[in-house]
Amino acid sequence: MNITVVAGARPNFIKIAPIIHAIKKSKSCGNDIDYRLIHTGQHYDEKMSETFFSELNIPSPDANLGAGGGTQAEQTAAIMIAFERDLIEHPTDLVLVVGDVTSTLACAIVAKKLNTKVAHIEAGIRSFDMSMPEEINRLVTDSITDYFFTTSKFANNNLLKSGVPENRVMFVGNVMIDTLLANQSKFKKPSLYTECNLKKGNYIILTLHRPANVDEAENLKKMIDAISTNVKGLPVVFPVHPRTARVLAEHKISASNLKLVDPLGYLEFNFLVKNAKAVITDSGGITEETTVMGIPCLTLRDNTERPETVEIGTNELIGTNPEKLKPALDRIMSDKWKKGKVPELWDGKTAERIVNHLLALSIPSRK
Ligand code: UDP
């Protein structure tokens, strides 16, 4: 079986790493499985892309479509045009897409229109918030997916409720956690840890990149003020996503205990998370990682497509109103946060389960 694996943005690279490793391992055991890796070029910044390939041992992509930049529509169109050419030149038995970024949506559509089967990893998650571009990506991708690999029972239920037949839904666990567990012994102390005199439990990590939080400078400033004034002077380390960096620079947003840094590599970022007092974020993937590491996580959103991180894990939805931050931060500072547990099948073996499912599918070969 030949599989075309698609990745385009930072969280995608973290998700495909264990899948590529599991495919290679299965092939080396004599199984009929191989892959071609496509980087769409959606994230092209070295710190948002290349770093993850070297740190997570992901082989160089077989093709880079170079389709980064532009508006949502420009980017979707550029990825579709380039991926269609590639897929016509290199027919495959299955296109495997991960997550919920523009590349996920664009490549799933192209594959399906070329009569190629589509597998979606992290299928079925829903925020039910149509103002998020990711929610549109999830809905469209899942409406044309053939094989659904899910991270939780919540995702299974969403798919079954939308009419997906049960035999096409495979509850396998979480590939992002495969990467976390496989790399935790390699987490790396960044130089800023010593430079800023950080110690276990004496600092906060902040990440923000959702348009709803960062595109409106006034609200972003209010949130940052509320965070920096309610953490009893603790340093707040903020690895800044390129989207957020533009707004922070343009409006000169800062605070004395706020330490702005470039996006960090995976091993350094997760070293900081593992040793932090708490994480404040609007990321989806980070709420899963903090749940597994047992670190308190405050999500600055009104909803989540990952309810298991709230119901089972250490995550809590604080919303985007800066006034809600103080009471939540008071609970963090007085160590009154819930403990949480690890969701079912988030055990580091998800990619292996996915490959076993793929081998059992009876997809006619195109070669
Ligand atoms: N991450 C990283 N460096 C950073 C910030 C995040 O390596 O400076 C990793 C993080 O550990 C997680 C992923 O990036 O695995 C989350 O990506 P992001 O927040 O961009 O996307 P989302 O999960 O919200 O789709």
Side-chain angles (χ1 to χ4, degrees):
M1 168 189 274
N2 289 292
I3 302 170
T4 293
V5 177
V6 173
R10 175 169 70 187
N12 284 179
F13 309 135
I14 293 152
K15 288 167 199 170
I16 60 153
I19 298 167
I20 301 280
H21 298 320
I23 292 177
K24 285 173 74 171
K25 186 167 166 211
S26 178
K27 187 185 173 201
S28 73
C29 294
N31 288 316
D32 173 24
I33 189 160
D34 208 347
Y35 74 93
R36 179 176 155 77
L37 175 60
I38 305 296
H39 187 323
T40 64
Q42 184 182 336
H43 278 173
Y44 45 86
D45 196 313
E46 200 262 325
K47 292 195 166 84
M48 298 296 284
S49 172
E50 262 165 61
T51 306
F52 300 97
F53 282 79
S54 54
E55 282 194 333
L56 304 178
N57 249 322
I58 308 171
S60 295
D62 296 283
N64 189 319
L65 307 180
T71 64
Q72 289 275 330
E74 283 164 348
Q75 196 170 84
T76 310
I79 296 171
M80 286 181 74
I81 293 166
F83 186 55
E84 186 183 54
R85 271 191 212 121
D86 188 274
L87 203 52
I88 289 171
E89 218 173 294
H90 303 277
T92 185
D93 303 327
L94 178 80
V95 168
L96 187 148
V97 296
V98 297
D100 54 17
V101 300
T102 306
S103 304
T104 315
L105 159 93
C107 295
I109 295 175
V110 167
K112 199 66 192 165
K113 289 202 168 186
L114 288 174
N115 281 323
T116 305
K117 298 281 187 201
V118 175
H120 183 201
I121 304 217
E122 211 183 71
I125 66 172
R126 298 285 182 269
S127 66
F128 303 101
D129 175 357
M130 291 298 280
S131 71
M132 287 177 82
E134 293 89 346
E135 184 71 357
I136 300 166
N137 297 341
R138 293 176 196 124
L139 281 163
V140 176
T141 303
D142 284 343
S143 72
I144 54 176
T145 287
D146 295 284
Y147 307 110
F148 302 81
F149 292 101
T150 62
T151 49
S152 73
K153 296 272 165 68
F154 295 97
N156 299 348
N157 287 340
N158 291 333
L159 292 169
L160 299 179
K161 267 196 233 152
S162 72
V164 174
E166 205 168 352
N167 63 356
R168 287 208 266 138
V169 179
M170 288 152 271
F171 174 37
V172 286
N174 193 325
V175 280
M176 203 158 216
I177 301 309
D178 281 14
T179 297
L180 187 77
L181 299 179
N183 287 282
Q184 59 183 353
S185 62
K186 299 180 217 152
F187 288 170
K188 246 181 3 209
K189 190 193 286 186
S191 55
L192 76 96
Y193 196 80
T194 318
E195 281 156 27
C196 299
N197 198 22
L198 303 182
K199 300 227 161 55
K200 191 170 177 62
N202 85 342
Y203 62 94
I204 306 282
I205 294 284
L206 171 66
T207 84
L208 292 171
H209 70 282
R210 302 262 163 239
N213 280 337
V214 305
D215 286 0
E216 230 279 49
E218 200 44 44
N219 197 51
L220 179 61
K221 188 177 175 334
K222 278 190 195 146
M223 279 199 293
I224 286 181
D225 284 347
I227 293 166
S228 51
T229 52
N230 287 299
V231 292
K232 301 203 174 358
L234 289 192
V236 177
V237 180
F238 187 2
V240 185
H241 192 280
R243 176 177 196 114
T244 316
R246 285 189 284 272
V247 188
L248 291 177
E250 207 173 299
H251 297 269
K252 300 196 173 55
I253 298 171
S254 65
S256 60
N257 56 339
L258 186 71
K259 171 84 185 149
L260 302 180
V261 293
D262 283 343
L264 293 163
Y266 183 82
L267 301 175
E268 291 192 337
F269 179 73
N270 282 294
F271 176 94
L272 287 181
V273 170
K274 198 171 168 72
N275 290 290
K277 176 106 184 148
V279 173
I280 306 174
T281 191
D282 61 7
S283 160
I286 292 172
T287 65
E288 300 178 331
E289 292 163 344
T290 46
T291 277
V292 170
M293 290 191 266
I295 301 296
C297 181
L298 290 73
T299 291
L300 304 189
R301 289 175 50 194
D302 296 317
N303 51 55
T304 174
E305 59 290 332
R306 293 160 163 94
E308 63 278 11
T309 63
V310 176
E311 290 191 18
I312 303 170
T314 55
N315 185 23
E316 203 175 299
L317 296 177
I318 307 300
T320 51
N321 179 349
E323 282 169 23
K324 295 272 173 66
L325 270 160
K326 183 176 171 5
L329 286 168
D330 286 349
R331 279 189 288 127
I332 292 285
M333 298 314 294
S334 53
D335 294 323
K336 291 198 179 117
W337 205 257
K338 61 182 169 177
K339 293 285 175 263
K341 295 202 178 78
V342 176
E344 193 183 347
L345 294 186
W346 291 19
D347 59 0
K349 296 182 182 140
T350 296
E352 199 181 304
R353 283 191 279 271
I354 291 172
V355 167
N356 288 338
H357 277 295
L358 291 174
L359 287 169
L361 296 175
S362 46
I363 302 175
S365 174
R366 294 215 163 198
K367 292 237 159 149

